[in-house]
Amino acid sequence: VAIKRILGEAARSKTATSRFLTEAKSIAALNHANIVQIYDYGRDASGPFLIMEYVEGNSLLDRCGEGALPIEEAIDLTCQLCDGLGKAHGAGIIHRDIKPANILLTQDGIPKLTDFGLAKAETADTGMTMAGAVLGTLDFMPPEQRKDAALTDARSDLWSLAATLYQMVTGKSPKIIKFNNVPESLHDVLGKALEDEKDDRYRTARDF
């Protein structure tokens, strides 16, 4: 297993601890091959901890650092991540920080979503998202999340996953998205997934 802790000043922060425990409760409720499993969580003298599945491999960010992935591999990884996201969204959990660094790859090449620390339960926002607060990673953040993290829903995660797919097939950050870098067969799918307006995107991970 892997044990995850909060270090330094954050260990004394109620907000950081709340986010940490949100991650624990969010993932512990899910059981899917494409989501890093949390087995237990608790607190000791050093503060809160998570006991997680240990993934013996690198991150998708490491893999992207080697250059663009073959299109078949990129599509296969994205479809598996859609399966995992569909499970989370079905449970009312929005990740809000999907990016290559938060996707681990097993030695067999199976992608696993991790770091649900910014996750939001759709049914009952805990109040941790202040109005106008921006949470997440800018290059992979949909337009609505840049304005206010409270505006996110499942379609926001799909935008971030599409931005991740863009990096997989181009080897470049989605900070500036240029479709002439993208294989033509993906233009329609990525174009729809990366629409500025949520209503113009795919509604569900299954659709994507």
Side-chain angles (χ1 to χ4, degrees):
V1 300
I3 298 174
K4 184 173 181 178
R5 289 190 171 277
I6 300 181
L7 299 177
E9 289 295 318
R12 292 185 285 281
S13 159
K14 284 186 179 175
T15 303
T17 300
S18 292
R19 289 203 185 287
F20 194 77
L21 294 176
T22 295
E23 176 177 5
K25 291 169 185 171
S26 295
I27 313 181
L30 304 172
N31 186 10
H32 193 280
N34 301 117
I35 296 173
V36 172
Q37 192 65 35
I38 286 191
Y39 301 126
D40 202 359
Y41 52 90
R43 182 190 293 267
D44 63 12
S46 302
F49 61 83
L50 310 181
I51 299 177
M52 310 169 69
E53 171 187 4
Y54 176 67
V55 180
E56 193 169 350
N58 294 323
S59 72
L60 181 58
L61 182 62
D62 297 325
R63 180 76 178 78
C64 288
E66 299 168 10
L69 278 63
I71 186 169
E72 296 83 2
E73 182 183 353
I75 290 172
D76 179 51
L77 290 172
T78 303
C79 288
Q80 291 185 64
L81 292 165
C82 279
D83 286 345
L85 262 187
K87 176 87 171 186
H89 292 165
I93 295 165
I94 311 302
H95 187 289
R96 299 199 296 187
D97 198 20
I98 292 170
K99 58 185 178 181
N102 283 341
I103 296 163
L104 301 180
L105 296 174
T106 69
Q107 290 184 322
D108 295 330
I110 295 168
K112 289 178 178 275
L113 270 172
T114 189
D115 206 353
F116 277 69
L118 299 180
K120 178 177 93 171
E122 273 191 303
T123 45
D125 198 340
T126 56
M128 290 195 304
T129 306
M130 295 178 297
V134 175
L135 303 170
T137 306
L138 278 171
D139 288 2
F140 296 89
M141 190 183 292
E144 67 276 9
Q145 193 169 344
R146 295 175 190 226
K147 293 177 189 166
D148 186 341
L151 299 174
T152 54
D153 63 18
R155 295 166 296 179
S156 310
D157 274 353
L158 296 177
W159 193 100
S160 300
L161 182 56
T164 298
L165 173 57
Y166 175 89
Q167 179 152 345
M168 282 194 259
V169 296
T170 64
K172 300 176 188 297
S173 163
K175 184 177 214 143
I176 299 171
I177 291 172
K178 296 180 179 175
F179 274 87
N180 58 355
N181 292 329
V182 175
E184 196 168 338
S185 59
L186 281 180
H187 281 195
D188 289 349
V189 173
L190 271 181
K192 185 173 178 67
L194 292 168
E195 286 281 3
D196 283 351
E197 298 298 326
K198 288 190 288 188
D199 289 344
D200 295 334
R201 300 176 201 152
Y202 294 106
R203 288 180 53 252
T204 67
R206 180 176 289 275
D207 291 344
F208 182 26

